[in-house]
Amino acid sequence: MTLHLGSAVDSILLWPLGGLCLCGAAPGSWGDLKVAVAGPATHIPMAFFWWAILGLAEAGDGWRFGAIVALNAIFMNVYLCAFNLLLPAYPLDGGRVMAAVLSIRGMEPNKAGKITSGTAIVIALGLLAYGIWALFVAGDPHAIMCCLVAVFILQNSKQLYDLAVAGRVTEHPLFAREAQARQAYPLFGKDDSGP
């Protein structure tokens, strides 16, 4: 999507908490919204692919292992799409969607930054509390990932919040793109790039 909007993809970083595409600025909030939705949307065709594999596995004899793998892949892709897109916690895609929608609606950038980061911090604290409970009370060793995701969200959202409180949110990459687009196309109003 970034290439389609005329920006460049500098690199793709894969790490234990997922992937991150380092790319040039999309043109305004509509561009940010399209890029943020496009990432999690890639899980939808992958889920259908694994659904087709599940159908083949169930049709064949002795393919029980293949059916289990395909079913788990379907659930994983649906879960990742929903988690990344529907959870409005910056820097997840849902938080980027929230920031873009607030900007499209004409909200002042520092206020949008405070709302975006504040929402993410509340969600991250909830995830952290759940992760600690699951790790120490329920004894689930996988809850450490929940704790790591929560710390990742907290760290990034705190940076955004600090800039918003200082009135410098346009220095943050999430809002700098909108500021750059408004400077480049001042005659087009609040958001120059349209749907």
Side-chain angles (χ1 to χ4, degrees):
M1 180 57 70
T2 300
L3 294 174
H4 176 72
L5 293 172
S7 295
V9 175
D10 299 324
S11 63
I12 297 175
L13 173 67
L14 297 177
W15 62 310
L17 296 180
L20 179 66
C21 179
L22 303 171
C23 53
S29 295
W30 280 104
D32 281 343
L33 180 63
K34 291 174 186 176
V35 171
V37 170
T42 61
H43 293 287
I44 295 169
M46 287 189 274
F48 280 113
F49 168 80
W50 286 106
W51 183 52
I53 298 296
L54 177 64
L56 292 172
E58 289 180 340
D61 251 356
W63 280 52
R64 178 140 174 81
F65 177 75
I68 291 169
V69 169
L71 188 60
N72 282 311
I74 292 168
F75 285 130
M76 180 185 69
N77 279 290
V78 169
Y79 170 77
L80 286 172
C81 179
F83 182 80
N84 280 316
L85 190 57
L86 302 178
L87 195 66
Y90 178 78
L92 301 179
D93 291 308
R96 293 179 52 221
V97 167
M98 180 183 199
V101 169
L102 292 174
S103 291
I104 289 168
R105 299 291 300 158
M107 185 173 288
E108 191 270 324
N110 289 306
K111 183 176 181 182
K114 289 177 189 174
I115 292 171
T116 301
S117 59
T119 303
I121 288 169
V122 169
I123 290 170
L125 290 173
L127 283 173
L128 186 60
Y130 171 75
I132 290 170
W133 175 85
L135 187 62
F136 294 109
V137 177
D140 181 7
H142 299 100
I144 192 72
M145 286 303 290
C146 185
C147 293
L148 290 174
V149 169
V151 169
F152 176 68
I153 293 170
L154 277 171
Q155 177 187 12
N156 284 278
S157 295
K158 176 71 167 85
Q159 291 172 350
L160 177 59
Y161 182 78
D162 290 343
L163 286 171
V165 168
R168 300 179 7 234
V169 79
T170 55
E171 294 175 18
H172 191 279
L174 186 62
F175 290 95
R177 294 175 184 163
E178 178 64 19
Q180 291 168 355
R182 287 182 187 193
Q183 285 177 349
Y185 306 102
L187 301 177
F188 292 99
K190 293 177 183 162
D191 188 4
D192 53 79
S193 53

